[in-house]
């Protein structure tokens, strides 16, 4: 029950931020359909949160690793988690502008980054010591992956991106 009390306000705040950002993106890129705006809002929100969590995680892991007498697979996994958090967060923050305007390449790179992180979370799921953080993150990043899929379908149908001439870099 305690997890629900903490998770519900956090999820509510994230949803509110995503709704407000997607409405703002709608005003700045009105010729792009809503799946791209929602995917971009999720990208920048989850990206900023994940990037910050990755930096904090890496600092904490470094302080723990310096105090431990020997290194093993657990320390390597801890450092890998920090690196994965920072990578996926930085990539999504960098890509949100291009996702917002319906660029196919940005949606594809965002989906690849998200899929990599989802697979990493699935790998961590059965390991002990997850602290209950893996399943909520897995649910949130799976939701983002679905929104990127929806944006990709909208762009492929011609309703997601801006109406423009053929762009080989899009």
């Amino acid at each position: 029950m305690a997890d629900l009390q903490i998770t519900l306000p956090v999820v509510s705040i994230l949803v509110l931020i995503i709704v407000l950002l997607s409405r703002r993106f709608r005003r700045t890129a009105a010729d792009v359909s809503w799946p791209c705006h929602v995917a971009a809002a999720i990208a920048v929100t989850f990206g900023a949160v994940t990037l910050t969590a990755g930096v904090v995680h890496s600092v904490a892991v470094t302080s723990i690793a310096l105090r431990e007498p020997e290194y093993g697979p657990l320390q390597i996994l801890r450092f890998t988690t920090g690196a994965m958090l920072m990578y996926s967060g930085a990539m999504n923050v960098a890509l949100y502008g291009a996702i917002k305007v319906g660029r196919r390449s940005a949606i594809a790179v965002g989906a690849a980054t998200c899929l990599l992180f989802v697979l990493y979370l699935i790998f961590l799921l059965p390991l002990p010591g997850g602290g209950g953080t893996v399943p909520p993150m897995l649910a949130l990043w799976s939701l983002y992956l679905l929104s990127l899929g929806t944006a990709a379908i909208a762009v492929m149908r011609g309703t997601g991106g801006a109406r423009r001439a053929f762009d080989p870099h899009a």
Side-chain angles (χ1 to χ4, degrees):
M1 187 67 176
D3 289 339
L4 182 62
Q5 293 173 351
I6 294 171
T7 306
L8 190 59
V10 170
V11 169
S12 299
I13 290 169
L14 286 175
V15 168
L16 180 65
I17 291 170
I18 290 166
V19 167
L20 292 175
L21 282 174
S22 63
R23 291 185 73 187
R24 179 175 170 85
F25 294 161
R26 182 71 182 155
R27 287 192 303 262
T28 61
D31 55 346
V32 181
S33 69
W34 66 268
C36 295
H37 298 298
V38 172
I42 293 173
V44 73
T45 304
F46 288 0
V49 169
T50 306
L51 181 60
T52 305
V55 170
V56 170
H57 180 83
S58 295
V59 168
V61 165
T62 302
S63 69
I64 290 171
L66 292 175
R67 289 185 275 149
E68 292 183 351
E70 60 186 47
Y71 295 105
L74 184 59
Q75 287 81 7
I76 294 168
L77 187 61
R78 288 177 182 158
F79 280 115
T80 304
T81 301
M84 287 294 294
L85 286 167
M86 287 189 291
Y87 170 73
S88 62
M91 284 297 290
N92 284 296
V93 168
L95 290 172
Y96 90 91
I99 294 171
K100 175 178 70 172
V101 295
R103 298 220 25 168
R104 292 179 191 168
S105 58
I107 293 170
V109 171
T113 302
C114 183
L115 185 61
L116 177 67
F117 194 63
V118 166
L119 290 174
Y120 183 74
L121 289 172
I122 290 171
F123 169 74
L124 290 179
L125 197 57
L127 297 177
T133 58
V134 173
M137 285 189 71
L138 186 59
L140 291 174
W141 282 88
S142 297
L143 174 71
Y144 174 49
L145 190 59
L146 287 173
S147 74
L148 283 170
T150 305
I153 290 169
V155 168
M156 286 190 313
R157 286 182 152 181
T159 60
R163 306 264 186 233
R164 57 187 176 269
F166 176 73
D167 184 5
H169 302 290

